[in-house]
Amino acid sequence: MTLTHLNQRGEAHMVDVADKPESRREASASGYIRMKPDTLALLSEGGLPKGDVLATARIAGIQAAKRTHELIPLCHALALSKVAVDFRLDEENSRVEVFASCRLNGRTGVEMEALTAVSVACLTLYDMCKAVDKDMEIGAIHLDTKHGGKSGNYQRQAPTSSTPIVTGEGMAGQVSVGARCDIDSACVRVKFLAELRERLGISELSLPLDSLPSADVGGLKAALVKRDARFARLTEGRVLCAVNQVMALDPTPITHDDEVAFFPPVTGG
Amino acid sequence: MIRVQQAPFDAGEEQRYLLAGRTDIGAVVSFTGLVRDFNERPDVTALSLEHYPGMTEAALGEIVSEAEARWPLQGVCVIHRVGRLAPGDPIVLVVVASAHRRPAFEACDFIMDYLKTRAPFWKKEHSITGDYWVAERESDHRDAGRWESDNDNAS
């Protein structure tokens, strides 16, 4: 991967987009400006000295998107077909959230325009409110989505990357073992690992053994699907299974207090 | 020796440890796997490795036993890391010692092929454009299949 704004000698240059095909390009970005609760109350009541704060910030954001190429050195001037700037007053966190989306049919992406719109809308909010609050803080300006173009679609993930993969009582990068049955009668302990855990949204559960139509892996799958349709995923594609940590198939028998794990194909090494 | 750990390892140190005090070993082959900064997507910024404690050690033990049954080996060390790793970090180490080079080369290759297709590790890659779980590779299964076609290839 290379930085497209650097040429082979590492110098900044503008990318020639003349030969790129035109396509529908969309991008959305967001950010926020945090302020004192009193400032936010004044803003929502329209009691600030400079007048209608949000309407002004909206126009500022739209204007900024159109003039992004004047601010960011290697950006192309674009004939945007749509710029929208929206606000949400977040009283719980005492801040104004700013959203911007841009669209065009063209040869370059519009994420810089959306990010610029959010940035300048936030700065305008600061300017409009600074007479009563100088502690305001602008933050978390980021791209949310991007569609079209060679690099394809982008959807920002929830910021989970900083949290290690942990399930149950395990350490980072591990899965806990030996969790007890949380049912009094005979039961089977089921674990879902790695991507399967994330897709199903569950890491472990216990099931009464007598809820299985047959006391084997196939019966366990049927009982899980009956319990919740999302477990149909266990019967789709390549899902592997281990009973008491030994690879198993649908006919593998299950007895009381067995540990059954479902997981995707392995990818270590 | 089989270890699953979060901490980095020193391949040189592990090899010295395996060979310490031995004069019957004529060949030692060491393989270290590293985190690449590109894979399914460019710009991989980190990797999270998850495993299934208990089963992982058992599966690795079985792979090493099978290698020992196929080739005359005088020492095997397998270390696999878990948790969050950065590009350039070592992930996996396989050191195989034998009296002669051929069994050492082949057994090391065999252990890595089986490790990639049988040991319960899962990689999640963190890239600039988002996080995703790494998909299994058909080529890894083909590589592992090479050892099944001629079962008795000890030499």
Side-chain angles (χ1 to χ4, degrees), chain B residues 47-90:
Chain B
L47 189 71
S48 293
L49 261 152
E50 178 171 326
H51 79 126
Y52 185 11
M55 185 172 173
T56 313
E57 291 82 355
L60 292 175
E62 211 158 289
I63 293 166
V64 170
S65 299
E66 183 150 0
E68 286 169 337
R70 289 179 181 224
W71 292 276
L73 305 180
Q74 273 148 319
V76 179
C77 164
V78 177
I79 300 175
H80 204 299
R81 293 179 68 193
V82 292
R84 197 173 170 94
L85 306 177
D89 282 353

mmCIF file of all heavy atoms in Angstrom, chain B residues 47-90:
data_model
loop_
_atom_site.group_PDB
_atom_site.id
_atom_site.type_symbol
_atom_site.label_atom_id
_atom_site.label_comp_id
_atom_site.label_asym_id
_atom_site.label_seq_id
_atom_site.Cartn_x
_atom_site.Cartn_y
_atom_site.Cartn_z
ATOM 1 N N LEU B 47 -2.964 -7.532 14.877
ATOM 2 C CA LEU B 47 -3.562 -8.850 14.733
ATOM 3 C C LEU B 47 -3.950 -9.314 16.124
ATOM 4 O O LEU B 47 -3.182 -9.133 17.059
ATOM 5 C CB LEU B 47 -2.474 -9.771 14.159
ATOM 6 C CG LEU B 47 -2.839 -11.153 13.717
ATOM 7 C CD1 LEU B 47 -3.661 -11.064 12.437
ATOM 8 C CD2 LEU B 47 -1.579 -11.948 13.432
ATOM 9 N N SER B 48 -5.161 -9.877 16.269
ATOM 10 C CA SER B 48 -5.516 -10.489 17.548
ATOM 11 C C SER B 48 -5.648 -11.986 17.322
ATOM 12 O O SER B 48 -6.341 -12.413 16.405
ATOM 13 C CB SER B 48 -6.846 -9.939 18.070
ATOM 14 O OG SER B 48 -6.701 -8.590 18.404
ATOM 15 N N LEU B 49 -4.968 -12.738 18.155
ATOM 16 C CA LEU B 49 -5.031 -14.187 18.030
ATOM 17 C C LEU B 49 -5.803 -14.759 19.193
ATOM 18 O O LEU B 49 -5.470 -14.520 20.348
ATOM 19 C CB LEU B 49 -3.613 -14.755 18.030
ATOM 20 C CG LEU B 49 -3.089 -15.064 16.638
ATOM 21 C CD1 LEU B 49 -1.601 -14.964 16.609
ATOM 22 C CD2 LEU B 49 -3.559 -16.432 16.192
ATOM 23 N N GLU B 50 -6.849 -15.493 18.864
ATOM 24 C CA GLU B 50 -7.648 -16.146 19.887
ATOM 25 C C GLU B 50 -7.376 -17.646 19.807
ATOM 26 O O GLU B 50 -7.052 -18.163 18.740
ATOM 27 C CB GLU B 50 -9.131 -15.860 19.601
ATOM 28 C CG GLU B 50 -10.062 -16.527 20.587
ATOM 29 C CD GLU B 50 -11.507 -16.034 20.413
ATOM 30 O OE1 GLU B 50 -11.706 -14.865 20.073
ATOM 31 O OE2 GLU B 50 -12.410 -16.850 20.601
ATOM 32 N N HIS B 51 -7.492 -18.350 20.914
ATOM 33 C CA HIS B 51 -7.355 -19.806 20.862
ATOM 34 C C HIS B 51 -8.324 -20.446 21.844
ATOM 35 O O HIS B 51 -9.100 -19.752 22.497
ATOM 36 C CB HIS B 51 -5.902 -20.224 21.110
ATOM 37 C CG HIS B 51 -5.487 -20.211 22.549
ATOM 38 N ND1 HIS B 51 -4.931 -21.301 23.158
ATOM 39 C CD2 HIS B 51 -5.556 -19.246 23.493
ATOM 40 C CE1 HIS B 51 -4.655 -20.998 24.421
ATOM 41 N NE2 HIS B 51 -5.017 -19.762 24.646
ATOM 42 N N TYR B 52 -8.302 -21.755 21.902
ATOM 43 C CA TYR B 52 -9.212 -22.519 22.754
ATOM 44 C C TYR B 52 -8.336 -23.251 23.768
ATOM 45 O O TYR B 52 -7.845 -24.338 23.486
ATOM 46 C CB TYR B 52 -9.998 -23.494 21.865
ATOM 47 C CG TYR B 52 -11.085 -24.290 22.531
ATOM 48 C CD1 TYR B 52 -11.535 -24.003 23.821
ATOM 49 C CD2 TYR B 52 -11.687 -25.345 21.853
ATOM 50 C CE1 TYR B 52 -12.552 -24.751 24.402
ATOM 51 C CE2 TYR B 52 -12.707 -26.092 22.426
ATOM 52 C CZ TYR B 52 -13.123 -25.799 23.703
ATOM 53 O OH TYR B 52 -14.123 -26.541 24.275
ATOM 54 N N PRO B 53 -8.117 -22.614 24.919
ATOM 55 C CA PRO B 53 -7.173 -23.188 25.888
ATOM 56 C C PRO B 53 -7.531 -24.628 26.205
ATOM 57 O O PRO B 53 -8.702 -24.965 26.346
ATOM 58 C CB PRO B 53 -7.340 -22.302 27.122
ATOM 59 C CG PRO B 53 -7.904 -21.036 26.612
ATOM 60 C CD PRO B 53 -8.756 -21.399 25.437
ATOM 61 N N GLY B 54 -6.532 -25.437 26.359
ATOM 62 C CA GLY B 54 -6.777 -26.847 26.641
ATOM 63 C C GLY B 54 -6.739 -27.624 25.345
ATOM 64 O O GLY B 54 -5.840 -28.428 25.110
ATOM 65 N N MET B 55 -7.693 -27.337 24.473
ATOM 66 C CA MET B 55 -7.714 -28.038 23.197
ATOM 67 C C MET B 55 -6.485 -27.665 22.363
ATOM 68 O O MET B 55 -5.947 -28.493 21.627
ATOM 69 C CB MET B 55 -8.987 -27.707 22.423
ATOM 70 C CG MET B 55 -9.084 -28.516 21.132
ATOM 71 S SD MET B 55 -10.658 -28.330 20.315
ATOM 72 C CE MET B 55 -10.328 -29.205 18.776
ATOM 73 N N THR B 56 -6.058 -26.398 22.460
ATOM 74 C CA THR B 56 -4.909 -25.957 21.670
ATOM 75 C C THR B 56 -3.674 -26.788 21.997
ATOM 76 O O THR B 56 -3.011 -27.322 21.104
ATOM 77 C CB THR B 56 -4.604 -24.478 21.976
ATOM 78 O OG1 THR B 56 -5.816 -23.756 21.941
ATOM 79 C CG2 THR B 56 -3.652 -23.906 20.960
ATOM 80 N N GLU B 57 -3.368 -26.883 23.289
ATOM 81 C CA GLU B 57 -2.185 -27.628 23.708
ATOM 82 C C GLU B 57 -2.311 -29.099 23.299
ATOM 83 O O GLU B 57 -1.332 -29.708 22.838
ATOM 84 C CB GLU B 57 -2.005 -27.521 25.229
ATOM 85 C CG GLU B 57 -1.607 -26.119 25.714
ATOM 86 C CD GLU B 57 -2.791 -25.159 25.867
ATOM 87 O OE1 GLU B 57 -3.923 -25.546 25.502
ATOM 88 O OE2 GLU B 57 -2.584 -24.030 26.347
ATOM 89 N N ALA B 58 -3.531 -29.651 23.450
ATOM 90 C CA ALA B 58 -3.738 -31.056 23.089
ATOM 91 C C ALA B 58 -3.531 -31.260 21.587
ATOM 92 O O ALA B 58 -2.889 -32.222 21.150
ATOM 93 C CB ALA B 58 -5.143 -31.498 23.500
ATOM 94 N N ALA B 59 -4.065 -30.335 20.779
ATOM 95 C CA ALA B 59 -3.952 -30.468 19.321
ATOM 96 C C ALA B 59 -2.495 -30.352 18.895
ATOM 97 O O ALA B 59 -2.022 -31.124 18.052
ATOM 98 C CB ALA B 59 -4.803 -29.400 18.636
ATOM 99 N N LEU B 60 -1.761 -29.402 19.492
ATOM 100 C CA LEU B 60 -0.351 -29.244 19.145
ATOM 101 C C LEU B 60 0.433 -30.500 19.562
ATOM 102 O O LEU B 60 1.311 -30.965 18.833
ATOM 103 C CB LEU B 60 0.232 -28.003 19.817
ATOM 104 C CG LEU B 60 -0.306 -26.652 19.307
ATOM 105 C CD1 LEU B 60 0.272 -25.500 20.140
ATOM 106 C CD2 LEU B 60 0.033 -26.443 17.841
ATOM 107 N N GLY B 61 0.094 -31.037 20.735
ATOM 108 C CA GLY B 61 0.770 -32.240 21.222
ATOM 109 C C GLY B 61 0.567 -33.401 20.263
ATOM 110 O O GLY B 61 1.490 -34.176 19.972
ATOM 111 N N GLU B 62 -0.647 -33.502 19.742
ATOM 112 C CA GLU B 62 -0.954 -34.586 18.819
ATOM 113 C C GLU B 62 -0.168 -34.436 17.511
ATOM 114 O O GLU B 62 0.332 -35.417 16.961
ATOM 115 C CB GLU B 62 -2.451 -34.563 18.524
ATOM 116 C CG GLU B 62 -3.024 -35.927 18.244
ATOM 117 C CD GLU B 62 -4.522 -35.923 18.488
ATOM 118 O OE1 GLU B 62 -4.925 -35.847 19.671
ATOM 119 O OE2 GLU B 62 -5.255 -35.956 17.504
ATOM 120 N N ILE B 63 -0.054 -33.187 17.049
ATOM 121 C CA ILE B 63 0.682 -32.934 15.803
ATOM 122 C C ILE B 63 2.158 -33.293 15.991
ATOM 123 O O ILE B 63 2.774 -33.942 15.137
ATOM 124 C CB ILE B 63 0.523 -31.454 15.378
ATOM 125 C CG1 ILE B 63 -0.934 -31.181 14.978
ATOM 126 C CG2 ILE B 63 1.469 -31.112 14.238
ATOM 127 C CD1 ILE B 63 -1.288 -29.703 14.876
ATOM 128 N N VAL B 64 2.715 -32.905 17.129
ATOM 129 C CA VAL B 64 4.123 -33.213 17.392
ATOM 130 C C VAL B 64 4.318 -34.735 17.505
ATOM 131 O O VAL B 64 5.278 -35.285 16.965
ATOM 132 C CB VAL B 64 4.604 -32.477 18.670
ATOM 133 C CG1 VAL B 64 5.981 -32.980 19.101
ATOM 134 C CG2 VAL B 64 4.632 -30.974 18.432
ATOM 135 N N SER B 65 3.368 -35.412 18.181
ATOM 136 C CA SER B 65 3.475 -36.881 18.310
ATOM 137 C C SER B 65 3.453 -37.529 16.936
ATOM 138 O O SER B 65 4.197 -38.483 16.676
ATOM 139 C CB SER B 65 2.317 -37.432 19.136
ATOM 140 O OG SER B 65 2.358 -36.891 20.419
ATOM 141 N N GLU B 66 2.583 -37.019 16.076
ATOM 142 C CA GLU B 66 2.493 -37.616 14.738
ATOM 143 C C GLU B 66 3.802 -37.394 13.970
ATOM 144 O O GLU B 66 4.288 -38.292 13.282
ATOM 145 C CB GLU B 66 1.304 -37.026 13.968
ATOM 146 C CG GLU B 66 1.153 -37.690 12.617
ATOM 147 C CD GLU B 66 -0.277 -37.748 12.114
ATOM 148 O OE1 GLU B 66 -1.191 -37.263 12.814
ATOM 149 O OE2 GLU B 66 -0.470 -38.287 11.002
ATOM 150 N N ALA B 67 4.393 -36.216 14.115
ATOM 151 C CA ALA B 67 5.683 -35.939 13.458
ATOM 152 C C ALA B 67 6.746 -36.885 13.995
ATOM 153 O O ALA B 67 7.571 -37.419 13.233
ATOM 154 C CB ALA B 67 6.085 -34.487 13.694
ATOM 155 N N GLU B 68 6.717 -37.119 15.304
ATOM 156 C CA GLU B 68 7.724 -37.991 15.915
ATOM 157 C C GLU B 68 7.551 -39.447 15.465
ATOM 158 O O GLU B 68 8.504 -40.211 15.439
ATOM 159 C CB GLU B 68 7.671 -37.877 17.443
ATOM 160 C CG GLU B 68 8.271 -36.564 17.927
ATOM 161 C CD GLU B 68 8.018 -36.286 19.394
ATOM 162 O OE1 GLU B 68 7.041 -36.844 19.959
ATOM 163 O OE2 GLU B 68 8.776 -35.494 19.973
ATOM 164 N N ALA B 69 6.291 -39.787 15.126
ATOM 165 C CA ALA B 69 6.043 -41.147 14.655
ATOM 166 C C ALA B 69 6.507 -41.307 13.211
ATOM 167 O O ALA B 69 6.855 -42.399 12.779
ATOM 168 C CB ALA B 69 4.561 -41.478 14.776
ATOM 169 N N ARG B 70 6.504 -40.197 12.457
ATOM 170 C CA ARG B 70 6.859 -40.290 11.041
ATOM 171 C C ARG B 70 8.357 -40.137 10.798
ATOM 172 O O ARG B 70 8.870 -40.653 9.812
ATOM 173 C CB ARG B 70 6.131 -39.188 10.253
ATOM 174 C CG ARG B 70 4.639 -39.430 10.118
ATOM 175 C CD ARG B 70 4.012 -38.265 9.350
ATOM 176 N NE ARG B 70 2.582 -38.428 9.201
ATOM 177 C CZ ARG B 70 1.925 -38.202 8.065
ATOM 178 N NH1 ARG B 70 2.576 -37.804 6.992
ATOM 179 N NH2 ARG B 70 0.623 -38.363 8.008
ATOM 180 N N TRP B 71 9.016 -39.332 11.609
ATOM 181 C CA TRP B 71 10.445 -39.078 11.383
ATOM 182 C C TRP B 71 11.218 -39.340 12.676
ATOM 183 O O TRP B 71 10.682 -39.140 13.768
ATOM 184 C CB TRP B 71 10.668 -37.614 10.957
ATOM 185 C CG TRP B 71 10.122 -37.285 9.612
ATOM 186 C CD1 TRP B 71 10.723 -37.494 8.407
ATOM 187 C CD2 TRP B 71 8.845 -36.665 9.321
ATOM 188 N NE1 TRP B 71 9.907 -37.039 7.380
ATOM 189 C CE2 TRP B 71 8.749 -36.534 7.912
ATOM 190 C CE3 TRP B 71 7.776 -36.224 10.105
ATOM 191 C CZ2 TRP B 71 7.651 -35.981 7.281
ATOM 192 C CZ3 TRP B 71 6.682 -35.665 9.479
ATOM 193 C CH2 TRP B 71 6.616 -35.549 8.077
ATOM 194 N N PRO B 72 12.471 -39.739 12.563
ATOM 195 C CA PRO B 72 13.284 -39.900 13.769
ATOM 196 C C PRO B 72 13.765 -38.529 14.265
ATOM 197 O O PRO B 72 14.708 -37.972 13.716
ATOM 198 C CB PRO B 72 14.457 -40.769 13.276
ATOM 199 C CG PRO B 72 14.556 -40.512 11.813
ATOM 200 C CD PRO B 72 13.201 -40.085 11.324
ATOM 201 N N LEU B 73 13.084 -37.999 15.261
ATOM 202 C CA LEU B 73 13.391 -36.641 15.730
ATOM 203 C C LEU B 73 14.033 -36.700 17.111
ATOM 204 O O LEU B 73 13.716 -37.571 17.917
ATOM 205 C CB LEU B 73 12.110 -35.800 15.776
ATOM 206 C CG LEU B 73 11.318 -35.724 14.469
ATOM 207 C CD1 LEU B 73 10.073 -34.862 14.661
ATOM 208 C CD2 LEU B 73 12.171 -35.181 13.332
ATOM 209 N N GLN B 74 14.887 -35.736 17.372
ATOM 210 C CA GLN B 74 15.552 -35.733 18.665
ATOM 211 C C GLN B 74 15.167 -34.545 19.520
ATOM 212 O O GLN B 74 15.692 -34.367 20.610
ATOM 213 C CB GLN B 74 17.068 -35.802 18.464
ATOM 214 C CG GLN B 74 17.496 -37.256 18.361
ATOM 215 C CD GLN B 74 18.688 -37.453 17.464
ATOM 216 O OE1 GLN B 74 18.794 -36.847 16.414
ATOM 217 N NE2 GLN B 74 19.582 -38.310 17.895
ATOM 218 N N GLY B 75 14.264 -33.759 19.033
ATOM 219 C CA GLY B 75 13.789 -32.640 19.844
ATOM 220 C C GLY B 75 12.846 -31.792 19.020
ATOM 221 O O GLY B 75 13.075 -31.570 17.830
ATOM 222 N N VAL B 76 11.733 -31.350 19.632
ATOM 223 C CA VAL B 76 10.772 -30.486 18.940
ATOM 224 C C VAL B 76 10.340 -29.392 19.910
ATOM 225 O O VAL B 76 10.095 -29.662 21.092
ATOM 226 C CB VAL B 76 9.520 -31.264 18.472
ATOM 227 C CG1 VAL B 76 8.542 -30.319 17.790
ATOM 228 C CG2 VAL B 76 9.896 -32.410 17.542
ATOM 229 N N CYS B 77 10.274 -28.174 19.418
ATOM 230 C CA CYS B 77 9.775 -27.061 20.224
ATOM 231 C C CYS B 77 8.735 -26.317 19.387
ATOM 232 O O CYS B 77 9.000 -25.963 18.235
ATOM 233 C CB CYS B 77 10.937 -26.132 20.583
ATOM 234 S SG CYS B 77 10.424 -24.509 21.155
ATOM 235 N N VAL B 78 7.524 -26.147 19.928
ATOM 236 C CA VAL B 78 6.483 -25.380 19.236
ATOM 237 C C VAL B 78 5.989 -24.291 20.190
ATOM 238 O O VAL B 78 5.566 -24.598 21.306
ATOM 239 C CB VAL B 78 5.297 -26.272 18.805
ATOM 240 C CG1 VAL B 78 4.208 -25.422 18.151
ATOM 241 C CG2 VAL B 78 5.744 -27.378 17.858
ATOM 242 N N ILE B 79 6.100 -23.045 19.755
ATOM 243 C CA ILE B 79 5.577 -21.931 20.564
ATOM 244 C C ILE B 79 4.620 -21.138 19.687
ATOM 245 O O ILE B 79 4.951 -20.787 18.545
ATOM 246 C CB ILE B 79 6.712 -21.006 21.059
ATOM 247 C CG1 ILE B 79 7.694 -21.797 21.924
ATOM 248 C CG2 ILE B 79 6.138 -19.828 21.850
ATOM 249 C CD1 ILE B 79 8.906 -20.994 22.351
ATOM 250 N N HIS B 80 3.419 -20.884 20.179
ATOM 251 C CA HIS B 80 2.453 -20.076 19.429
ATOM 252 C C HIS B 80 1.972 -18.961 20.335
ATOM 253 O O HIS B 80 1.631 -19.202 21.489
ATOM 254 C CB HIS B 80 1.270 -20.935 18.971
ATOM 255 C CG HIS B 80 0.567 -20.361 17.777
ATOM 256 N ND1 HIS B 80 -0.038 -19.121 17.794
ATOM 257 C CD2 HIS B 80 0.390 -20.847 16.519
ATOM 258 C CE1 HIS B 80 -0.562 -18.889 16.597
ATOM 259 N NE2 HIS B 80 -0.323 -19.907 15.799
ATOM 260 N N ARG B 81 1.986 -17.748 19.807
ATOM 261 C CA ARG B 81 1.539 -16.621 20.624
ATOM 262 C C ARG B 81 0.051 -16.353 20.438
ATOM 263 O O ARG B 81 -0.532 -16.681 19.400
ATOM 264 C CB ARG B 81 2.331 -15.354 20.286
ATOM 265 C CG ARG B 81 3.786 -15.476 20.689
ATOM 266 C CD ARG B 81 4.550 -14.241 20.317
ATOM 267 N NE ARG B 81 4.121 -13.093 21.115
ATOM 268 C CZ ARG B 81 4.445 -11.844 20.815
ATOM 269 N NH1 ARG B 81 5.152 -11.576 19.722
ATOM 270 N NH2 ARG B 81 4.050 -10.854 21.587
ATOM 271 N N VAL B 82 -0.569 -15.746 21.449
ATOM 272 C CA VAL B 82 -1.976 -15.336 21.388
ATOM 273 C C VAL B 82 -2.059 -13.896 21.896
ATOM 274 O O VAL B 82 -1.101 -13.376 22.448
ATOM 275 C CB VAL B 82 -2.883 -16.239 22.250
ATOM 276 C CG1 VAL B 82 -2.966 -17.639 21.670
ATOM 277 C CG2 VAL B 82 -2.409 -16.281 23.686
ATOM 278 N N GLY B 83 -3.215 -13.283 21.683
ATOM 279 C CA GLY B 83 -3.399 -11.896 22.109
ATOM 280 C C GLY B 83 -3.147 -10.946 20.957
ATOM 281 O O GLY B 83 -3.229 -11.338 19.793
ATOM 282 N N ARG B 84 -2.847 -9.695 21.296
ATOM 283 C CA ARG B 84 -2.705 -8.677 20.255
ATOM 284 C C ARG B 84 -1.251 -8.548 19.820
ATOM 285 O O ARG B 84 -0.364 -8.387 20.651
ATOM 286 C CB ARG B 84 -3.212 -7.338 20.796
ATOM 287 C CG ARG B 84 -3.501 -6.325 19.714
ATOM 288 C CD ARG B 84 -4.153 -5.101 20.313
ATOM 289 N NE ARG B 84 -4.225 -4.020 19.349
ATOM 290 C CZ ARG B 84 -5.287 -3.798 18.573
ATOM 291 N NH1 ARG B 84 -6.326 -4.572 18.663
ATOM 292 N NH2 ARG B 84 -5.289 -2.794 17.731
ATOM 293 N N LEU B 85 -1.029 -8.626 18.515
ATOM 294 C CA LEU B 85 0.318 -8.549 17.963
ATOM 295 C C LEU B 85 0.370 -7.449 16.906
ATOM 296 O O LEU B 85 -0.639 -7.114 16.294
ATOM 297 C CB LEU B 85 0.713 -9.883 17.320
ATOM 298 C CG LEU B 85 0.590 -11.146 18.190
ATOM 299 C CD1 LEU B 85 0.951 -12.373 17.373
ATOM 300 C CD2 LEU B 85 1.497 -11.049 19.398
ATOM 301 N N ALA B 86 1.569 -6.909 16.691
ATOM 302 C CA ALA B 86 1.762 -5.850 15.702
ATOM 303 C C ALA B 86 2.551 -6.399 14.518
ATOM 304 O O ALA B 86 3.257 -7.396 14.658
ATOM 305 C CB ALA B 86 2.507 -4.689 16.348
ATOM 306 N N PRO B 87 2.437 -5.747 13.322
ATOM 307 C CA PRO B 87 3.212 -6.201 12.172
ATOM 308 C C PRO B 87 4.700 -6.316 12.536
ATOM 309 O O PRO B 87 5.242 -5.461 13.218
ATOM 310 C CB PRO B 87 2.979 -5.100 11.137
ATOM 311 C CG PRO B 87 1.637 -4.561 11.479
ATOM 312 C CD PRO B 87 1.558 -4.615 12.986
ATOM 313 N N GLY B 88 5.313 -7.401 12.079
ATOM 314 C CA GLY B 88 6.722 -7.657 12.389
ATOM 315 C C GLY B 88 6.920 -8.537 13.600
ATOM 316 O O GLY B 88 7.989 -9.109 13.782
ATOM 317 N N ASP B 89 5.880 -8.644 14.444
ATOM 318 C CA ASP B 89 6.012 -9.488 15.636
ATOM 319 C C ASP B 89 6.059 -10.958 15.242
ATOM 320 O O ASP B 89 5.365 -11.376 14.324
ATOM 321 C CB ASP B 89 4.795 -9.296 16.564
ATOM 322 C CG ASP B 89 4.873 -8.018 17.369
ATOM 323 O OD1 ASP B 89 5.929 -7.355 17.310
ATOM 324 O OD2 ASP B 89 3.891 -7.679 18.051
ATOM 325 N N PRO B 90 6.848 -11.763 15.963
ATOM 326 C CA PRO B 90 6.810 -13.204 15.730
ATOM 327 C C PRO B 90 5.524 -13.799 16.292
ATOM 328 O O PRO B 90 5.077 -13.417 17.375
ATOM 329 C CB PRO B 90 8.033 -13.725 16.489
ATOM 330 C CG PRO B 90 8.313 -12.704 17.533
ATOM 331 C CD PRO B 90 7.814 -11.381 16.997
#
